[in-house]
Amino acid sequence: MRYADDAQPVLTLTSGPVNAYPDVLRGLGRTVLYDYDPAFQAFYEKVVEKAQKAMRLSTKPVILHGEPVLGLEAAAASLITPDDTVLNLASGVYGKGFGYWAKRYSPNLVELVTAYNEALDPQAVREMLVKHPEVTVVSVCHHDTPSGTINPIDEIGKIVAEHGGYLIVDAVSSFGGMKTHPEDCSADIYITGPNKCLGAPPGLTMAGISDRAWAKMKANPAAPRASMLSILDWEKAWSRSEPFPFTPSVAEMNGLDVALDLYLGEGPENVWARHALTAKAMRAGVRAMGLDIWPAREAIASPTTTAVRIPEGIDEAKLRKEVRARYGVVFSSGRGETLGKLTRIGHMGPTAQPIYAVAALAALGGALNALGFEADTAAGVAASVAAIDADA
Amino acid sequence: MRYADDAQPVLTLTSGPVNAYPDVLRGLGRTVLYDYDPAFQAFYEKVVEKAQKAMRLSTKPVILHGEPVLGLEAAAASLITPDDTVLNLASGVYGKGFGYWAKRYSPNLVELVTAYNEALDPQAVREMLVKHPEVTVVSVCHHDTPSGTINPIDEIGKIVAEHGGYLIVDAVSSFGGMKTHPEDCSADIYITGPNKCLGAPPGLTMAGISDRAWAKMKANPAAPRASMLSILDWEKAWSRSEPFPFTPSVAEMNGLDVALDLYLGEGPENVWARHALTAKAMRAGVRAMGLDIWPAREAIASPTTTAVRIPEGIDEAKLRKEVRARYGVVFSSGRGETLGKLTRIGHMGPTAQPIYAVAALAALGGALNALGFEADTAAGVAASVAAIDADA
Amino acid sequence: MRYADDAQPVLTLTSGPVNAYPDVLRGLGRTVLYDYDPAFQAFYEKVVEKAQKAMRLSTKPVILHGEPVLGLEAAAASLITPDDTVLNLASGVYGKGFGYWAKRYSPNLVELVTAYNEALDPQAVREMLVKHPEVTVVSVCHHDTPSGTINPIDEIGKIVAEHGGYLIVDAVSSFGGMKTHPEDCSADIYITGPNKCLGAPPGLTMAGISDRAWAKMKANPAAPRASMLSILDWEKAWSRSEPFPFTPSVAEMNGLDVALDLYLGEGPENVWARHALTAKAMRAGVRAMGLDIWPAREAIASPTTTAVRIPEGIDEAKLRKEVRARYGVVFSSGRGETLGKLTRIGHMGPTAQPIYAVAALAALGGALNALGFEADTAAGVAASVAAIDADA
Amino acid sequence: MRYADDAQPVLTLTSGPVNAYPDVLRGLGRTVLYDYDPAFQAFYEKVVEKAQKAMRLSTKPVILHGEPVLGLEAAAASLITPDDTVLNLASGVYGKGFGYWAKRYSPNLVELVTAYNEALDPQAVREMLVKHPEVTVVSVCHHDTPSGTINPIDEIGKIVAEHGGYLIVDAVSSFGGMKTHPEDCSADIYITGPNKCLGAPPGLTMAGISDRAWAKMKANPAAPRASMLSILDWEKAWSRSEPFPFTPSVAEMNGLDVALDLYLGEGPENVWARHALTAKAMRAGVRAMGLDIWPAREAIASPTTTAVRIPEGIDEAKLRKEVRARYGVVFSSGRGETLGKLTRIGHMGPTAQPIYAVAALAALGGALNALGFEADTAAGVAASVAAIDADA
């Protein structure tokens, strides 16, 4: 028995999109209200307030109506001007990628790049800022998903704040799965979305914007306005008494509303603990199986995605193909420089359940064995269960 | 981290109800049509035709609007008269239980009872019928769920047919998960439902009725009529041009429609193979873990539920409690005589996926260890994965 | 353009089933939990508590897992013994029908029957009881749906209580759409369900049972036990610490939970007002159109269904056929003695919206005209809108 | 009884978003697959093929992952260069609005503007092109929704093609509700979406792109690339063997799939007829009621939205407020120059049902009367029903 390519898999354990929570899936099917209907406008305001609570913001966050790459591009387009010097901090493919957007809006770009299995060193950031006092904007990716590594953004944020720079944070695949909030890291623009750890489908951006970021964007004549790329257009849109610049994605808002209720209802600390334990069970199993994680150190490994270093001689694409065909389980590949070198096993939102780590490890081990690598599946699963039990 | 009792579990791996297929869950939410609306009457007829196709019947099956215990009680009430002598064949709690209903309608009851970890022997049935030529009705449970054992109903059916008796078959938890159809076993009344291997919620009975069973029921003045317990009332209800005796369960019919589409679309043989492989992976793991299955022999073990014999000294209720609290996984207990002696792990419909056997074994092993029994979880999972791989 | 018979209609304005509230439809698709799972047992208890609140009961109601005809049959089977004398009060087809069930359980039946467009007179009930002091059980249908008439059950209940008899009330199509509760009418068994004014699909019975009814049923050796027809089996099933006699209809319970939340959340008084105003707008329009309602007096006309007397020479079946084909609107016919004489336009749950009365009247008028009866559709709709406006 | 502002209305009869078809609402809740999963890639290709069939295109359409304003902005940004001269044809607020986007990408803009209750005259377009032989790009809005008027784009397209210009068509609120397809009007970029007449929620753009438009965009170095505004990035994304430039909106695709099945299943001609008849019933009623439609002539009135001219002295915002409060019905206002002068009553997708025209007219008439304008609601409804009956 093999799962056909065009048949639905059993478990989607990817770095996102993951399947949404069942309650969110049903929430998507709520009645579609007219965007000018007072009932919808009141609803929209309430959802923004829930997002504000979840993001622990003192100001209203902005919802943009495209998945978080829209938010990242819009942040670059709105905040960065040719007068700015941008310091882009990169520890992986996504962090590095933001530099290209930054460069589109200012020719003045400096970068601090670490190995792609490492995290950024706050001290190195401090030194870079001393060396480049002209830096006005700093950008950083919190969880560089293609590496499965976490950067210390709260520390970095403090340093950037001391320097006086504006900070753009990509927290797309970390927010909701671990302790991170815009104001914890003094972010000026903090981009995340419902489609990773909140367990909703892709289609929206949630952005935390500082007062001074609003001011800088307003002062930027080139900041997108009357555009899909605009953040400014949406400044007041949260209010039930203001019109929307264009029709918001009503169904996605319905889904986000449920996702936020679930997150706040379960308790953020409990949600984070669930992600952390699943990741711990994954890592314990990976190592006991005779493999290694991609991140250089356990301390920088993501709680929402475990990147597994692929042994020499194993074709990573074939490995995932075999995992899916034999067990109906879907993993993610690397991206760019990490493509082929690692497999990513996501544990986000509804898939952040320790028992799924066990299933993932069994599938990983079985497929590796099928491809000729002797993984000790038995030891891997046992170590994984032991990690779960240690927390029971 | 422990899953709270009143929080939803991650995986419901019970002997039913299991969670429904996602498509069925959404199907339940289709528009509720008026039962006299021609669109609903046409729909109802089509669903019955799909059920007929799935059950491989040459006549129209009957849908009753209560879960299959309704069908079983209605079968006894409708078919059995005080003039009948009933031979009740029992290899477990459910088979034995039918005798009580039989007795309600006829004082003449003989029984053939085997050990509750064994299956009925067709030869013994033949001998019993020779010894009791007065037997007119034979009743048998195909899959005695509280034991996880399968009876050879196709062979038994042949013997009963030769004898000339009416055969009542309870195939509630086997149909849809293995090769079994009313006419394969010459059943006169064959009761099953959507809530086990078809992956729909409990609330309906599907019954295959032979022509001579219809005749016998019509001739029985005590057969329920104008009653919830009636089968006769529903004889023509499948037809779009006939009224319903009372309002059918519209939402359950909507769900059944999707469940039948899924079953016929995936291909019954493929569905059975999925159940069989999951069961095989379960049994391989159970044994490698140092445990045993409850059924006396592999050959009689159910492909839809694996009953695991609980080691001496282990409190079975505590075991399931621990499995749920630690891993969010739900199993079933035994029933009656088997209560406390075995744990049942279901693999029915959407849960009949081999990778779930791996998860179930890890959870079972982890919880046993927590209770002081040294289960070799590692070996169990490895054997389970190997069983899956042997079929890849 | 004509709506095809097998295509879904636009508006189902029947006397039930009506389409469910959208939120209920989505609720039906919640995860199906195992009935022995503590999360399900806790959920079930909570739903029963919500039902208790909605029914304003001082004791726990019973949920039976079949549509309300199950509840009515079970009530007769459980409460009535051959030693009882039953007084069946009938003002229509449904009330009359209960007599047949009563007769099944006791040979001693007396009846008080009014014209089928009239309501029962409490004074006549009192006289009947004086004349028949041997009466121990009284049965009455609150809203005789095939007539669209309401009986004064609170007054009748008081009289029966003074007499000392047990009272069985069928409030299936009135509860939730007007002020009526089991203890308001001193009912001993009060049967209703989610599938009419609560806006959920058919498949469950909600029953209010008095303490003395429990006692009488327990003392009745013939009361169904270990049966689909049993009420007794379910006495303690509401409690999270008690098992279910058989698997409850999980999806229907999920739907009922939402329906009760909607009812209690909107506020029962508001829900009743919505039903009452829709009925008022219907009746005003019917009369202005040159037609008449079936009930003899406005005061006894149902707030949940308007029965329209069909003019001489009009074929009622053809009329409904034309209403559906031209406008996509579905009405109900009469039943038994009222079949062909009236058309029923339901306004229950989600269809109890005054604007639907306008749509119904336009469709009714248009189709009548098409069949040759000169209905004044314009005047009908204007009167209907005026009735709505009088309450704005 | 008045409907509260923050309570859901009964009927959303707006010019979009309208409520989605129930089947689409449930479709939104399908399992969210990983965008790199072969099952999702195969699904995406199939949906694009269905969109191609619905749009009657000889090439693959592009799906962009934002509501159609994204498509319109992206079309301007991708196709128009500073070397182009754009002729913007405007008969209303939306057509006029496109000129601002055109101007952003080329300083060379000429416009042909008609009165906002009129349609464009093909002959005038021809003359304009003769006068401006330098025109390389022509833009036109098919259904200028804020006026409820339809432009003759098939004739205009022929003229533009003869001239050799590129044609950009905004068919957002007409496609799916009347006969219009990209190749019928020789459009080079034809923008529409699922959120109007296809009855799905807002969140996607469907774009038909001609081969020569692809060539022009590729030759434009300023055409957005690696951007949310890019069309080019998505050229090959329909293919199951190509990656997506960023994560598509999975749930919206699930909804679109169902919407296309419904459209193709019902038959486009039948869907258009349903829209046309609803519009006809609306217009007949409006006039009989003593009001007038906004469009100068019946022939240019939209079949998907009826714009009603508001009588002198009536506050249009108050009118809609009253319609919603009294009857639970939601209409749309005008926009820009038409704001306050007209009310728009939409009949799109699931709301394009003639009986809803009757309900809309009754609500409109009732509210006008409440505000002191004597509308003849009775005559309006009668005329509307007569229009429906004329087609029965």
Side-chain angles (χ1 to χ4, degrees):
Chain A
M1 173 186 164
R2 290 177 73 85
Y3 291 88
D5 259 15
D6 57 356
Q8 284 207 5
V10 179
L11 285 173
T12 295
L13 303 178
T14 62
S15 50
V18 294
N19 193 11
Y21 288 104
D23 286 0
V24 171
L25 290 175
R26 279 182 292 101
L28 291 165
R30 285 186 193 156
T31 301
V32 173
L33 293 179
Y34 182 50
D35 55 340
Y36 284 79
D37 191 313
F40 182 74
Q41 292 179 307
F43 165 76
Y44 195 95
E45 184 173 316
K46 277 185 199 159
V47 177
V48 172
E49 283 168 355
K50 288 179 192 176
Q52 181 180 6
K53 196 173 169 193
M55 297 172 82
R56 300 189 179 172
L57 276 164
S58 49
T59 57
K60 291 277 179 304
V62 163
I63 310 291
L64 297 180
H65 294 268
E67 76 111 331
V69 298
L70 167 61
L72 294 169
E73 184 183 4
S78 300
L79 198 74
I80 302 173
T81 74
D83 294 337
D84 284 309
T85 295
V86 177
L87 167 58
N88 186 46
L89 307 174
S91 64
V93 176
Y94 283 0
K96 183 73 185 167
F98 191 82
Y100 301 107
W101 273 330
K103 193 93 193 180
R104 190 183 285 166
Y105 300 101
S106 169
N108 314 308
L109 175 71
V110 289
E111 290 197 305
L112 176 64
V113 182
T114 69
Y116 280 13
N117 65 339
E118 261 297 349
L120 291 157
D121 175 10
Q123 191 51 33
V125 175
R126 184 184 302 272
E127 286 160 16
M128 198 72 180
L129 287 172
V130 168
K131 203 169 127 195
H132 291 282
E134 75 278 17
V135 165
T136 48
V137 175
V138 178
S139 52
V140 64
C141 180
H142 185 205
H143 173 204
D144 212 305
T145 337
S147 299
T149 49
I150 296 291
N151 283 309
I153 51 166
D154 290 2
E155 288 91 327
I156 290 171
K158 203 168 293 176
I159 292 163
V160 175
E162 284 165 18
H163 174 81
Y166 290 84
L167 181 65
I168 299 174
V169 173
D170 167 354
V172 175
S173 61
S174 56
F175 175 78
M178 63 184 293
K179 187 173 188 307
T180 172
H181 305 97
E183 297 178 3
D184 291 351
C185 62
S186 308
D188 289 289
I189 301 188
Y190 178 101
I191 300 294
T192 190
N195 53 315
K196 302 279 182 179
C197 302
L198 289 183
L204 296 177
T205 293
M206 298 157 72
I209 316 273
S210 72
D211 287 342
R212 61 180 207 143
W214 281 117
K216 185 170 180 357
M217 292 190 290
K218 285 177 197 172
N220 176 12
R225 288 171 176 85
S227 170
M228 186 76 189
L229 281 184
S230 181
I231 295 176
L232 288 171
D233 292 356
W234 290 86
E235 186 185 4
K236 307 284 187 199
W238 61 267
S239 165
R240 70 180 70 195
S241 53
E242 296 287 329
F244 299 106
F246 58 80
T247 310
S249 295
V250 180
E252 305 292 339
M253 290 300 294
N254 287 337
L256 175 59
D257 182 50
V258 179
L260 290 168
D261 280 346
L262 290 176
Y263 179 70
L264 295 169
E266 183 175 349
E269 283 75 8
N270 296 328
V271 177
W272 307 335
R274 184 155 60 71
H275 283 76
L277 182 58
T278 308
K280 203 175 156 191
M282 273 302 309
R283 292 191 301 263
V286 164
R287 284 175 167 152
M289 197 181 276
L291 299 167
D292 205 356
I293 59 171
W294 173 263
R297 285 158 294 127
E298 178 101 0
I300 62 170
S302 164
T304 76
T305 293
T306 297
V308 180
R309 183 179 289 271
I310 293 306
E312 288 283 314
I314 295 296
D315 179 326
E316 197 269 338
K318 269 194 195 156
L319 176 67
R320 280 181 295 104
K321 212 176 169 66
E322 211 55 34
V323 165
R324 193 187 192 285
R326 286 170 180 252
Y327 315 105
V329 176
V330 181
F331 295 153
S332 294
S333 67
R335 290 274 179 275
E337 283 84 341
T338 67
L339 183 66
K341 296 180 189 160
L342 56 81
T343 293
R344 288 181 294 162
I345 302 175
H347 16 89
M348 293 173 166
T351 62
Q353 299 286 4
I355 194 69
Y356 289 148
V358 174
L361 290 162
L364 179 66
L368 279 168
N369 287 335
L371 296 184
F373 178 86
E374 287 190 25
D376 191 344
T377 311
V381 166
S384 179
V385 173
I388 301 170
D389 287 338
D391 195 56
Chain B
M1 174 185 164
R2 291 176 74 85
Y3 291 88
D5 258 16
D6 58 355
Q8 284 207 6
V10 179
L11 285 172
T12 296
L13 303 178
T14 62
S15 51
V18 294
N19 193 10
Y21 287 104
D23 286 0
V24 171
L25 289 175
R26 279 182 292 102
L28 291 165
R30 285 186 192 157
T31 301
V32 173
L33 294 178
Y34 182 49
D35 56 339
Y36 283 81
D37 190 313
F40 183 74
Q41 292 178 308
F43 165 77
Y44 196 95
E45 183 173 316
K46 277 185 199 159
V47 177
V48 173
E49 281 167 357
K50 287 179 193 176
Q52 181 180 6
K53 196 173 168 192
M55 297 172 82
R56 301 190 179 171
L57 275 164
S58 49
T59 56
K60 291 278 180 301
V62 164
I63 311 291
L64 297 180
H65 294 268
E67 76 110 331
V69 298
L70 167 61
L72 294 168
E73 183 182 4
S78 300
L79 198 76
I80 302 172
T81 74
D83 295 337
D84 285 308
T85 295
V86 177
L87 167 58
N88 186 46
L89 307 174
S91 64
V93 176
Y94 283 1
K96 183 73 185 167
F98 190 83
Y100 300 105
W101 272 330
K103 193 94 193 179
R104 190 183 287 167
Y105 300 101
S106 169
N108 316 307
L109 175 70
V110 290
E111 289 197 306
L112 176 63
V113 183
T114 70
Y116 280 13
N117 65 340
E118 261 297 350
L120 292 156
D121 174 11
Q123 192 50 34
V125 174
R126 186 184 302 274
E127 285 161 17
M128 197 73 180
L129 288 171
V130 169
K131 202 169 126 194
H132 290 283
E134 76 279 15
V135 166
T136 48
V137 175
V138 178
S139 51
V140 65
C141 180
H142 185 205
H143 172 204
D144 212 304
T145 336
S147 298
T149 49
I150 296 289
N151 283 310
I153 52 166
D154 290 1
E155 290 90 327
I156 291 171
K158 203 168 293 175
I159 293 163
V160 174
E162 284 165 20
H163 175 80
Y166 291 84
L167 180 64
I168 299 174
V169 173
D170 166 355
V172 175
S173 61
S174 57
F175 175 79
M178 62 183 294
K179 187 173 189 304
T180 171
H181 305 98
E183 296 178 3
D184 291 350
C185 62
S186 307
D188 290 289
I189 301 188
Y190 178 102
I191 300 295
T192 189
N195 52 316
K196 302 280 182 177
C197 301
L198 289 182
L204 297 177
T205 293
M206 299 157 70
I209 316 273
S210 73
D211 287 342
R212 62 180 205 143
W214 282 117
K216 185 169 180 358
M217 292 190 291
K218 286 177 197 172
N220 175 12
R225 288 171 177 85
S227 169
M228 186 76 189
L229 280 183
S230 181
I231 296 176
L232 287 171
D233 292 356
W234 290 87
E235 185 185 5
K236 307 284 188 199
W238 62 268
S239 166
R240 70 181 69 195
S241 52
E242 296 287 330
F244 299 107
F246 59 80
T247 310
S249 295
V250 179
E252 304 292 338
M253 290 300 293
N254 286 338
L256 176 59
D257 182 50
V258 179
L260 290 168
D261 280 347
L262 290 176
Y263 179 72
L264 295 169
E266 183 175 350
E269 284 74 9
N270 296 328
V271 176
W272 307 335
R274 186 155 59 73
H275 283 76
L277 182 58
T278 308
K280 203 176 156 191
M282 272 303 308
R283 292 191 302 262
V286 163
R287 282 173 168 156
M289 197 181 278
L291 299 167
D292 205 356
I293 59 172
W294 173 263
R297 285 158 294 125
E298 178 102 359
I300 62 171
S302 164
T304 75
T305 294
T306 297
V308 181
R309 183 179 289 271
I310 294 304
E312 289 282 315
I314 295 297
D315 179 327
E316 198 270 336
K318 270 194 195 157
L319 176 67
R320 281 181 295 104
K321 211 175 170 67
E322 210 57 34
V323 164
R324 193 185 191 287
R326 287 172 179 250
Y327 316 105
V329 175
V330 180
F331 295 152
S332 293
S333 67
R335 290 274 178 275
E337 284 83 342
T338 68
L339 183 66
K341 297 180 189 162
L342 56 82
T343 293
R344 287 180 295 160
I345 302 175
H347 16 88
M348 293 173 167
T351 61
Q353 300 286 3
I355 194 68
Y356 290 148
V358 174
L361 290 163
L364 178 66
L368 279 168
N369 286 334
L371 296 185
F373 177 87
E374 288 190 23
D376 191 344
T377 311
V381 166
S384 179
V385 173
I388 301 171
D389 287 338
D391 195 56
Chain C
M1 175 184 161
R2 289 176 75 85
Y3 291 88
D5 259 14
D6 57 356
Q8 284 207 5
V10 179
L11 285 174
T12 295
L13 303 178
T14 62
S15 52
V18 293
N19 192 11
Y21 287 105
D23 287 359
V24 171
L25 289 175
R26 280 182 292 102
L28 290 165
R30 285 187 192 156
T31 301
V32 173
L33 293 179
Y34 182 50
D35 56 340
Y36 283 81
D37 190 315
F40 182 74
Q41 293 178 308
F43 165 77
Y44 195 96
E45 184 173 315
K46 277 184 198 159
V47 177
V48 173
E49 282 167 357
K50 288 178 191 175
Q52 181 180 5
K53 196 173 168 191
M55 297 172 83
R56 300 188 181 175
L57 275 164
S58 49
T59 57
K60 292 277 178 305
V62 164
I63 311 291
L64 298 180
H65 294 269
E67 76 111 331
V69 296
L70 167 61
L72 294 169
E73 183 183 4
S78 300
L79 198 76
I80 301 172
T81 75
D83 294 337
D84 284 309
T85 295
V86 177
L87 167 60
N88 186 46
L89 307 174
S91 64
V93 177
Y94 284 0
K96 182 75 184 166
F98 190 83
Y100 300 106
W101 273 331
K103 192 96 192 177
R104 190 183 288 166
Y105 300 101
S106 169
N108 314 308
L109 176 72
V110 289
E111 290 196 306
L112 175 64
V113 182
T114 70
Y116 280 12
N117 65 340
E118 262 295 352
L120 291 156
D121 174 10
Q123 192 50 35
V125 175
R126 185 184 303 273
E127 285 160 14
M128 197 72 180
L129 288 172
V130 168
K131 201 167 129 197
H132 291 282
E134 75 279 18
V135 165
T136 49
V137 175
V138 178
S139 51
V140 65
C141 179
H142 185 204
H143 172 205
D144 212 305
T145 337
S147 299
T149 48
I150 296 289
N151 283 309
I153 51 166
D154 290 2
E155 288 89 327
I156 290 171
K158 203 170 292 177
I159 292 162
V160 174
E162 284 165 18
H163 175 81
Y166 291 83
L167 180 65
I168 299 175
V169 173
D170 167 356
V172 175
S173 61
S174 57
F175 175 80
M178 62 184 294
K179 188 173 188 305
T180 171
H181 305 98
E183 296 178 2
D184 291 352
C185 62
S186 308
D188 290 290
I189 300 189
Y190 179 100
I191 300 294
T192 190
N195 53 314
K196 301 279 182 181
C197 302
L198 289 183
L204 296 178
T205 292
M206 298 156 72
I209 316 273
S210 73
D211 287 343
R212 62 180 206 143
W214 281 117
K216 183 170 183 355
M217 291 190 290
K218 286 177 198 174
N220 175 13
R225 289 171 176 86
S227 170
M228 186 76 189
L229 281 183
S230 181
I231 296 176
L232 288 172
D233 292 355
W234 290 86
E235 185 185 5
K236 307 283 187 199
W238 61 268
S239 164
R240 68 182 71 195
S241 52
E242 296 287 330
F244 300 106
F246 58 79
T247 310
S249 294
V250 179
E252 305 293 339
M253 290 299 294
N254 286 337
L256 175 58
D257 182 51
V258 179
L260 291 168
D261 279 346
L262 291 176
Y263 179 71
L264 296 168
E266 184 174 349
E269 283 74 8
N270 296 328
V271 177
W272 307 335
R274 183 155 61 72
H275 284 77
L277 181 57
T278 308
K280 203 176 157 191
M282 272 302 310
R283 292 191 302 262
V286 163
R287 282 173 168 154
M289 198 182 277
L291 299 168
D292 205 357
I293 60 171
W294 173 262
R297 287 158 292 127
E298 179 102 359
I300 63 170
S302 165
T304 76
T305 293
T306 297
V308 181
R309 184 180 289 271
I310 294 305
E312 288 282 315
I314 295 295
D315 179 326
E316 197 270 337
K318 269 194 195 157
L319 176 67
R320 281 180 296 105
K321 211 176 170 66
E322 210 57 35
V323 165
R324 194 186 190 285
R326 286 172 180 251
Y327 315 105
V329 175
V330 182
F331 295 152
S332 294
S333 67
R335 291 274 178 275
E337 283 82 342
T338 67
L339 182 67
K341 298 180 188 158
L342 57 82
T343 293
R344 289 180 294 162
I345 302 176
H347 17 88
M348 293 173 166
T351 62
Q353 301 286 3
I355 193 69
Y356 290 148
V358 175
L361 289 162
L364 179 66
L368 279 167
N369 286 335
L371 296 185
F373 178 87
E374 287 189 26
D376 191 344
T377 311
V381 166
S384 178
V385 173
I388 301 171
D389 287 337
D391 195 54
Chain D
M1 173 184 164
R2 290 176 74 86
Y3 291 89
D5 259 14
D6 58 355
Q8 285 208 4
V10 179
L11 285 173
T12 296
L13 303 178
T14 63
S15 52
V18 293
N19 192 10
Y21 287 105
D23 286 0
V24 171
L25 290 176
R26 279 182 292 102
L28 291 166
R30 285 186 192 156
T31 301
V32 173
L33 293 180
Y34 182 50
D35 56 339
Y36 283 80
D37 191 314
F40 182 75
Q41 293 178 308
F43 165 76
Y44 195 96
E45 184 174 316
K46 276 185 200 160
V47 178
V48 173
E49 282 167 357
K50 287 179 192 174
Q52 181 180 7
K53 197 173 168 192
M55 297 172 82
R56 301 190 180 172
L57 276 164
S58 48
T59 56
K60 292 278 176 305
V62 163
I63 311 292
L64 297 180
H65 294 269
E67 77 110 331
V69 297
L70 167 61
L72 293 169
E73 184 183 3
S78 300
L79 198 75
I80 302 173
T81 74
D83 295 338
D84 285 310
T85 295
V86 177
L87 167 59
N88 186 46
L89 308 174
S91 64
V93 176
Y94 284 180
K96 182 73 184 167
F98 190 82
Y100 301 105
W101 272 331
K103 194 94 192 180
R104 189 183 287 168
Y105 299 101
S106 169
N108 315 307
L109 175 71
V110 291
E111 290 197 305
L112 176 64
V113 183
T114 70
Y116 280 14
N117 66 339
E118 261 297 349
L120 292 156
D121 174 10
Q123 191 51 34
V125 174
R126 185 186 301 274
E127 286 161 15
M128 196 73 179
L129 287 172
V130 167
K131 201 170 128 196
H132 290 282
E134 75 279 15
V135 164
T136 48
V137 175
V138 178
S139 51
V140 65
C141 179
H142 185 204
H143 172 205
D144 213 304
T145 336
S147 300
T149 50
I150 295 290
N151 283 309
I153 51 165
D154 291 1
E155 289 90 327
I156 291 171
K158 203 168 292 175
I159 292 162
V160 174
E162 285 164 18
H163 174 80
Y166 290 83
L167 180 65
I168 299 174
V169 173
D170 167 354
V172 175
S173 62
S174 57
F175 175 79
M178 63 183 294
K179 189 175 187 305
T180 171
H181 304 98
E183 296 177 2
D184 290 353
C185 61
S186 307
D188 290 289
I189 300 188
Y190 179 101
I191 299 295
T192 189
N195 51 316
K196 302 278 181 178
C197 303
L198 289 183
L204 296 178
T205 292
M206 298 157 71
I209 317 272
S210 72
D211 287 343
R212 61 180 206 142
W214 281 117
K216 185 171 182 354
M217 291 191 290
K218 284 177 198 174
N220 175 11
R225 289 171 177 87
S227 170
M228 186 76 188
L229 281 183
S230 180
I231 296 176
L232 288 172
D233 292 355
W234 290 87
E235 185 185 5
K236 307 283 187 199
W238 61 268
S239 166
R240 70 180 70 195
S241 53
E242 296 286 331
F244 300 106
F246 59 80
T247 309
S249 295
V250 179
E252 304 292 339
M253 290 299 295
N254 286 338
L256 175 58
D257 183 51
V258 180
L260 291 167
D261 280 346
L262 291 176
Y263 179 70
L264 297 168
E266 183 175 350
E269 283 75 7
N270 296 329
V271 177
W272 307 335
R274 184 154 60 70
H275 283 77
L277 182 57
T278 308
K280 204 177 155 190
M282 272 303 310
R283 292 191 303 262
V286 164
R287 282 173 168 154
M289 197 181 278
L291 299 168
D292 204 356
I293 60 172
W294 173 263
R297 286 158 294 125
E298 178 102 1
I300 62 170
S302 165
T304 75
T305 294
T306 297
V308 181
R309 185 180 289 270
I310 294 305
E312 289 282 314
I314 295 296
D315 179 328
E316 198 269 339
K318 269 194 197 159
L319 176 67
R320 281 180 295 104
K321 211 175 169 65
E322 211 56 34
V323 166
R324 193 187 190 286
R326 285 171 181 253
Y327 315 106
V329 176
V330 181
F331 295 153
S332 294
S333 67
R335 290 273 179 277
E337 283 83 342
T338 67
L339 183 66
K341 300 180 187 159
L342 56 82
T343 292
R344 289 181 294 161
I345 301 176
H347 17 88
M348 292 173 167
T351 62
Q353 300 287 3
I355 193 69
Y356 290 148
V358 175
L361 290 162
L364 178 66
L368 279 168
N369 287 335
L371 296 185
F373 178 86
E374 286 190 25
D376 190 343
T377 310
V381 166
S384 179
V385 172
I388 301 171
D389 287 339
D391 194 57

